[in-house]
Amino acid sequence: MSSAYLDGQPATADDLRALALANYGHFTSMQVRGRAVRGLDLHLHRLKSGTRELFDTTLDDARIRAAILAALDGEGVDDASVRVTVYSRAFDHAHPERPQPVDVLVSSTPPREADPKPAWVKTCPFQRALPLVKHVGTFPLFQHRRQARRDGFDDALFVDARGRISEGSLWNIGFWDGQQVVWPQAEALRGTQERLLQAGLAEVGVAQRHLPVEARALAGLKAAFAANATGIWPISGIDETALRPDPALMERLAAALAAHRWQPLASA
């Protein structure tokens, strides 16, 4: 089951109608365990910067933390999959340039972990609009994922106009060339899990580089993996190219994530 709370109070149909009709806002998704979040600071930064970009207003950490904790209290849980959406019931599509007060909607479902099963993905040309913001315009993400699955693949992998790999439908991708992790160099939404992996790999001394990666030129890349807030999983193939999952690489990635402590939602 899912639940939704607006700034700590159960959300009503009227509260949600403004978001559904305008479809204007931004969000972040996180896994909560014991009322703590791995990479909480990254999620808070994403929400605050997105609010400045879309609404020309500020949002403080205390309000976000309180909204999440109130939603957990309302459901009587300590573990959950949480999505925090920032939008404005006062948004006027006729005057979108006006600064608007924002609302903080917290929805929760049971906790999730990434399926460790290797995924074979299909590339498709797509460039996310305003990739610096995790906005609510998710229609093309799900449509491309739907089409890929209808074509017999597990998910969709996006490439830009130059054929460079950017990101997956709901996840980031990285590669392993046997010596270093290669992060594809192209415009994409940079995920919190990706940033945690990069920091963790740096701490344990694993080499990393950002390079353009073309879907039609994967020679030299031995393995690939996907990452989002639910975890990490191997990529077993891209289009017609098979990639061999590397258990040792996945262990390194898991260790890189484990190096980050879970940050309590309640302020100290």
Side-chain angles (χ1 to χ4, degrees):
M1 296 181 64
S2 63
S3 63
Y5 289 78
L6 187 68
D7 278 307
Q9 298 298 317
T12 67
D14 284 340
D15 293 331
L16 301 177
R17 186 175 293 113
L19 177 60
L21 293 178
N23 197 35
Y24 188 79
H26 64 96
F27 70 98
T28 194
S29 297
M30 64 188 75
Q31 292 298 311
V32 178
R33 300 292 185 273
R35 299 203 167 203
V37 177
R38 182 178 279 155
L40 176 61
D41 55 335
L42 298 176
H43 289 286
L44 294 174
H45 176 76
R46 169 184 279 171
L47 292 170
K48 291 185 293 185
S49 62
T51 299
R52 287 192 299 270
E53 178 69 29
L54 298 189
F55 298 102
D56 289 323
T57 191
T58 59
L59 181 64
D60 60 60
D61 290 356
R63 183 178 173 190
I64 300 169
R65 290 172 179 265
I68 299 173
L69 288 169
L72 297 175
D73 287 341
E75 296 303 298
V77 298
D78 294 329
D79 303 337
S81 298
V82 167
R83 168 170 164 158
V84 182
T85 303
V86 179
Y87 71 109
S88 176
R89 287 174 293 172
F91 181 76
D92 183 356
H93 70 274
H95 296 283
E97 75 282 3
R98 295 175 178 171
Q100 302 286 355
V102 295
D103 301 289
V104 179
L105 179 72
V106 179
S107 55
S108 67
T109 56
R112 291 183 55 205
E113 298 288 344
D115 186 344
K117 177 184 176 182
W120 199 302
V121 299
K122 179 183 180 180
T123 60
C124 59
F126 174 70
Q127 176 60 60
R128 182 192 295 263
L130 196 61
L132 293 178
V133 177
K134 190 177 177 72
H135 53 75
V136 298
T138 55
F139 169 81
L141 311 183
F142 291 120
Q143 177 61 11
H144 284 304
R145 188 183 200 194
R146 175 177 180 269
Q147 189 60 58
R149 293 179 69 86
R150 291 183 66 178
D151 291 342
F153 294 83
D154 295 304
D155 213 327
L157 177 65
F158 302 142
V159 297
D160 65 14
R162 296 165 60 182
R164 300 179 304 176
I165 290 172
S166 57
E167 61 182 314
S169 64
L170 302 172
W171 39 274
N172 293 111
I173 188 169
F175 296 89
W176 176 249
D177 67 3
Q179 301 294 326
Q180 62 187 351
V181 171
V182 176
W183 299 100
Q185 196 173 59
E187 285 195 21
L189 176 69
R190 304 269 67 101
T192 57
Q193 198 82 316
E194 180 188 74
R195 295 183 187 278
L196 289 173
L197 283 169
Q198 290 170 352
L201 290 170
E203 287 182 10
V204 298
V206 176
Q208 305 174 73
R209 291 187 69 187
H210 286 81
L211 296 171
V213 178
E214 294 188 13
R216 60 186 178 183
L218 296 174
L221 297 175
K222 300 180 180 300
F225 60 91
N228 67 15
T230 66
I232 52 176
W233 62 97
I235 298 295
S236 56
I238 297 174
D239 293 335
E240 304 303 320
T241 302
L243 295 166
R244 186 184 299 275
D246 186 332
L249 169 64
M250 301 309 293
E251 288 180 5
R252 285 187 174 186
L253 295 173
L257 285 179
H260 297 279
R261 68 181 182 87
W262 290 76
Q263 299 170 293
L265 283 162
S267 299

